[in-house]
Amino acid sequence: MKLTYDPRYNVAYICLKEKTEQVETLQISDDLPIDIAPDGSVYGFELLNARQQLHADNGGKLTIINEEHGNTTEIALTP
């Protein structure tokens, strides 16, 4: 899994697996398109207006927590 974030455009993409074939993009809401493979599996999804969606009350940071190992990583989402 890979998360990319572009602060210039305020867009994040969460890639669940690499695209190996043509995808169909479903617009779930104004801020959430999802890429679907022909077999129905999800390749990834884009978060438009990412800062608003990812950091509501977290001081402008994205927190990633590995529940198994208890490791925490924080990434600042700068405007």
Side-chain angles (χ1 to χ4, degrees), residues 17 19-24 35-43:
K17 64 181 183 176
K19 295 178 187 174
T20 57
E21 51 196 322
Q22 191 67 25
V23 300
E24 177 182 357
D35 293 333
I36 306 289
D39 68 0
S41 62
V42 176
Y43 277 117

Side-chain angles (χ1 to χ4, degrees), residues 7-67:
R8 295 169 298 173
Y9 301 103
N10 189 23
V11 173
Y13 190 81
I14 299 171
C15 180
L16 302 176
K17 64 181 183 176
E18 293 298 318
K19 295 178 187 174
T20 57
E21 51 196 322
Q22 191 67 25
V23 300
E24 177 182 357
T25 301
L26 302 177
Q27 193 71 34
I28 303 302
S29 71
D30 289 343
D31 294 334
L32 184 62
I34 296 179
D35 293 333
I36 306 289
D39 68 0
S41 62
V42 176
Y43 277 117
F45 51 97
E46 191 170 34
L47 298 173
L48 307 175
N49 296 311
R51 279 189 298 275
Q52 293 82 353
Q53 294 191 61
L54 291 174
H55 78 74
D57 294 322
N58 197 19
K61 298 176 197 166
L62 169 65
T63 303
I64 301 168
I65 301 169
N66 180 325
E67 294 286 344

